C-alpha cells in the first residue's frame, strides 16, 4: 500500500457542486499539506496542518477548506466548484517540517470542473 | 517570499547524453528536494539534499547552500528519464516549487 493515499484519483464535477478530496497516510507524520498544480506550472500550497487541531492557509486558499479529522487524514473541500479549479491536486506529508527525510507526496487527484 | 528558479525550462537530449539541471533559490532554506514528475503525473522523490552531494545510479545531486543553488546531474540519459524535474525548497512552513525543467530524451 502507498504511504500517502489520495481518493479519488480522477473526478469530473459540475460548476457549483461541493466536492471533497481525501488523503490518508501511514507514515505517522505529523504534518500534512494540500497542493495544487496547474498545467506547465509547479505546485502551489493551498492549506497545511501541523497537528489535528491546527489548520493554516497557504498561498492560494480562497475557495477551499480543509479538515484534519485525525493525524492520518486530511481532506480538502471545494465548497462551490468553479472551472478554474480544474487542476491536479496533491497531498503531502512530512515529519517535523521535512528536516529528516523530506516530503512524501500522494499520487494526485485529477479534478475537472465543467 | 522565496524565489525558486530552475534552468533550463526545456531540454531535449539524445539517448545516452548527459545533462545538468540547475536550481537557484533566493534565501536560506531548511530543506531541498528534487522530484521527477512522470507522464502520469506522479511525483517521484529523487533526492533529499539540503547540502552536499548524493548519488543514486545515473543520477546525482549537489547543493551548495551557502551559494543558494543545487544541481541535478543525469548521466547516460534514457527515454524513461523524460518528464518534468522539479526542485522544491522548504522555506518557513512549506515547500516552494520551481517551475520545473521539462526533459525530453529521444531514442
Amino acid at each position: 500500500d502507498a504511504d500517502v493515499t489520495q481518493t479519488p484519483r480522477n473526478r469530473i464535477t459540475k460548476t457549483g457542486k461541493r466536492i471533497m478530496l481525501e488523503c490518508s497516510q501511514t507514515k505517522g507524520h505529523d504534518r500534512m499539506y494540500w497542493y495544487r498544480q496547474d498545467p506547465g506550472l509547479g505546485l502551489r500550497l493551498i492549506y497545511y496542518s501541523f497537528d489535528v487541531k491546527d489548520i493554516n492557509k497557504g498561498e492560494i486558499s480562497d475557495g477551499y477548506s480543509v479538515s484534519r479529522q485525525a493525524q492520518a487524514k486530511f481532506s480538502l473541500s471545494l465548497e462551490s466548484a468553479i472551472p478554474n479549479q480544474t487542476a491536479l491536486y496533491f497531498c503531502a506529508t512530512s515529519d517535523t517540517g521535512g528536516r529528516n527525510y523530506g516530503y512524501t507526496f500522494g499520487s494526485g487527484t485529477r479534478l475537472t470542473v465543467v | 517570499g522565496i524565489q525558486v528558479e530552475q534552468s533550463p525550462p526545456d531540454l531535449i537530449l539524445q539517448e545516452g547524453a548527459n545533462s545538468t539541471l540547475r536550481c537557484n533559490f533566493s534565501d536560506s532554506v531548511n530543506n531541498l528536494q528534487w522530484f521527477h514528475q512522470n507522464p502520469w503525473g506522479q511525483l517521484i522523490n529523487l533526492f533529499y539534499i539540503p547540502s552536499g552531494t548524493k548519488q543514486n545510479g545515473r543520477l546525482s545531486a549537489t547543493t551548495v547552500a551557502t551559494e543558494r543553488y543545487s544541481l541535478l546531474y543525469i548521466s547516460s540519459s534514457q527515454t524513461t528519464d523524460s518528464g518534468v524535474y522539479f526542485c522544491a525548497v522548504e522555506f518557513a512552513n512549506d515547500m516552494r516549487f520551481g517551475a520545473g525543467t521539462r526533459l525530453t530524451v529521444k531514442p
Side-chain angles (χ1 to χ4, degrees), chain A:
Chain A
D1 289 341
D3 293 325
V4 181
T5 302
Q6 292 183 232
T7 56
R9 291 296 307 276
N10 293 283
R11 180 73 181 267
I12 300 173
T13 192
K14 293 184 177 181
T15 297
K17 293 290 187 181
R18 184 178 189 273
I19 183 170
M20 180 182 290
L21 309 183
E22 303 202 42
C23 176
S24 63
Q25 53 124 340
T26 58
K27 296 187 73 68
H29 285 171
D30 51 353
R31 301 184 175 198
M32 297 187 75
Y33 311 81
W34 275 104
Y35 285 86
R36 165 181 172 157
Q37 184 182 25
D38 293 284
L41 298 178
L43 279 67
R44 293 181 293 167
L45 182 67
I46 306 172
Y47 271 97
Y48 61 100
S49 168
F50 288 172
D51 202 347
V52 173
K53 295 183 179 179
D54 178 72
I55 300 292
N56 304 281
K57 292 183 177 181
E59 186 182 354
I60 53 165
S61 59
D62 287 349
Y64 301 95
S65 63
V66 292
S67 173
R68 184 83 182 267
Q69 304 95 318
Q71 190 201 34
K73 295 184 183 294
F74 192 36
S75 59
L76 175 72
S77 293
L78 285 67
E79 299 302 325
S80 179
I82 55 177
N84 76 1
Q85 291 178 313
T86 294
L88 184 57
Y89 290 84
F90 287 98
C91 175
T93 73
S94 75
D95 190 10
T96 60
R99 292 186 179 85
N100 295 321
Y101 303 104
Y103 286 47
T104 301
F105 283 82
S107 297
T109 294
R110 193 170 296 277
L111 176 66
T112 303
V113 183
V114 298

Side-chain angles (χ1 to χ4, degrees), chain B residues 53-100:
Chain B
T53 297
K54 291 186 178 180
Q55 181 156 6
N56 184 3
R58 296 181 296 103
L59 273 61
S60 64
T62 295
T63 297
V64 183
T66 53
E67 297 186 23
R68 301 179 183 169
Y69 73 89
S70 183
L71 302 173
L72 177 69
Y73 305 95
I74 304 174
S75 64
S76 304
S77 58
Q78 301 176 357
T79 55
T80 52
D81 294 332
S82 295
V84 183
Y85 289 81
F86 288 105
C87 164
V89 300
E90 187 194 5
F91 178 76
N93 294 316
D94 70 278
M95 292 289 277
R96 296 292 176 95
F97 283 73

Side-chain angles (χ1 to χ4, degrees), chain B residues 25-68:
Chain B
F25 44 96
S26 61
D27 207 336
S28 299
V29 298
N30 299 320
N31 172 15
L32 186 145
Q33 287 180 260
W34 283 97
F35 296 90
H36 175 218
Q37 187 167 39
N38 65 22
W40 297 271
Q42 285 185 302
L43 281 169
I44 311 299
N45 183 17
L46 298 176
F47 292 103
Y48 164 73
I49 186 164
S51 64
T53 297
K54 291 186 178 180
Q55 181 156 6
N56 184 3
R58 296 181 296 103
L59 273 61
S60 64
T62 295
T63 297
V64 183
T66 53
E67 297 186 23
R68 301 179 183 169

